[in-house]
Amino acid sequence: MAETGSLNMIQALGNALDHYMERDEMAVVLGEDVGAFGGVFRVTAGLQEKYGAERVFDTPLAEAGIVGMAIGMGLGGLRPIVEIQFADFIFPAFDQIVNELAKYRYRSGGQYAPRVLIRTPYGGGIRGGHYHSQSPEAYFAHTPGLRVVVPSGPYEAKGLLLGALECADPVIFLEPKRIYRSAKGEIPLDYYTLPLERARLVKKGEDITLVAWGAMLHTCQEAVALAEGEGYDVELIDLQSIAPYDLHTLVRSVTKTGRMAVVHEAPMTCGFGAELVAAVQAEAFDHLRAPLLRITGFDTPFPYSLEDHYLPSAERILRGLVETIEY
Amino acid sequence: MDLTREELLEAYRTLRMIRAFEEKLNELVTAGKMGGFLHLYIGEEAVATGVCSHLGVRDWVASTHRGHGHCIAKGVDIRAMMAELFGRATGTSRGKGGSMHIADVQQGMLGANGIVGAGIPLATGAALSAKLKGTGGVAVAFFGDGATNQGQFHESLNMAANWKLPVVYVVENNGYGEFTPTDFVVPVKDIATRAGSYAMRSEIADGMDFFDVYEKAGEAIRRARAGEGPTLLECKTYRFAGHFVGDPLAYRAKEEAEDWIQNRDPLARFEGQVLEAALVEADDLRRIDHDVEEELAAAVVDAEAAPPPGLEELLTDVYARGES
């Protein structure tokens, strides 16, 4: 039996980075406070001590410059792993991500393909207010050439991060910070990867397909338990990879249940749920028994004091599930 | 001067090739034989040539929307460039990039770039990779005066100076950011002074004089290679043509352009300098002119005859698929 340990998400991510740094001497970790301090959420703690200040270093507070420079490092043959301290801070680097990183392979006819992975904590529920709470997955999923990955627990965090680091494509790796410490599990301490582009069937069910990712998966689990108490059998799927996404698994599930609800923290309009609903209805139309539902944040800036009402709660999700099943 | 006769002839060949390449493109676009947006480098040839004369294949160049001159000076094959501009499968990027995305991994050309200022952090990162890997390579970022108003310029200079990266920032100050005179939007007379904020060395060169650029770029590159840190090299130059092919040029006085074109043409200046010093013969230069014309004519014939990329190329090179 391989050795295991009880790790939270922060520890699992740090463990993955440690494994990867050891394997790939071209790997370099950079970002705001990632070196001496070990990152505001401590994910990179101990890495500079172990791998030195050339391979794990602190940058100025300059996201466009950090990401642009990381792309140049990738062009020069390094394997940069960038931390953007909060996903809300990623927007100054949006140009470099969508115009340079995502398109380099295509526009150079395959000559250049900088391998840059950008990790960033995202999501609400920690009283972070407008600029420490947002969920920007849809912006990046709308940019072909990028992969967008969101783990929902320590086992997935480590396996998906290592899978993403082995992948030759640029990856936006969104870490649900609300469950950084609360999501704990017994996970292998050895190196392992999980495949990208594959959704995870969390629980089988017959009445409706419930799809979520990141911290919302945990809220959905609460809702599934509540629904069970009322006699409803929910199939729960963790999407994990937002782009490209595993349409096959969703269609197979909805073909069986005839119903689907998607849950995310981001606003509803043009949120990633819109894509899932559109794609699933096109593939599973003949099997549908109710309109496909989105349960999401509101079309407002992310609120401060009212965030508990903004974020989908287990009760709100339960209501949506019941209404859809009873449609 | 430390240039041999062969090196001088090579420099002239590059100057002439850039000029002739751009004139040919102007002709092709105006005649409706080539599509796409074109930003011509005519008038600025001495900058790319003077800087790139010091670079080899281990060195990186990040270029701009006005990038053909940088590509030619860095050694990119003009036949592949011409094919790329025609959008052919034989182009540098298999016809998928076009004028503003000519890239060549063999020559260390990171690419022309349609976003003003975006190449600056790319060169900075390439310089960091050279430093960490110990390749001895340097990176050069070319960009215009307009790009120095972008945040990415300042963010990059700050990091490069702080970490003493082997990079040279070459600002081609041609007096206009697109259609707006530089002094309408920039409060400093010399952009080189912006380096002072980052405790970075700076230098000003006459961008119409190959020898001045050659000398000052040589020192900047030598210092970068020796680990002595980056330089901001401002080359004062002028865009003989407009911002793009089709620019009506309503924003600048005819007399101003004529003065630069008549009196400060970098090719005429180079020719005067080398002939006066009897370093080469006029016949040598005319032979190069002739060879360049022939080479370009052949490149156009080949490009026009080449096929466009196959339809499957629409969907390839988005993700790695199957790699690693």
Side-chain angles (χ1 to χ4, degrees), chain A residues 75 100 103-114, chain B residues 84 91-98 101-105 109-112 313 317:
Chain A
L75 295 169
E100 306 298 324
K103 295 172 177 53
Y104 233 119
R105 182 190 293 275
Y106 195 85
R107 77 178 194 219
S108 69
Q111 295 183 84
Y112 287 108
Chain B
E84 186 63 31
T92 47
S93 303
R94 302 208 303 276
K96 297 172 80 165
H101 300 293
I102 293 170
D104 186 345
V105 70
M109 170 47 71
L110 298 174
E313 292 276 15
D317 298 323

Side-chain angles (χ1 to χ4, degrees), chain A residues 58 62 64-65 68-69 71-73 76 95-96 99-100 104-109 111-112 145-146 166 169 197, chain B residues 92-94 101 103-105 109-110 113 118 121-122 125 129 133 152 155 159 163 314 316-317 319-321 323-324:
Chain A
D58 295 315
M69 191 177 67
I71 298 168
M73 291 161 67
D95 166 58
Q96 283 290 338
N99 275 330
E100 306 298 324
Y104 233 119
R105 182 190 293 275
Y106 195 85
R107 77 178 194 219
S108 69
Q111 295 183 84
Y112 287 108
L146 296 178
E166 282 190 5
D169 298 316
E197 282 182 60
Chain B
T92 47
S93 303
R94 302 208 303 276
H101 300 293
D104 186 345
V105 70
M109 170 47 71
L110 298 174
N113 201 310
L122 301 180
S129 77
K133 293 168 83 174
Q152 301 193 32
E155 294 182 20
M159 291 190 285
W163 296 322
L314 184 62
T316 60
D317 298 323
Y319 293 98
R321 304 277 187 214
E323 281 176 38
S324 91

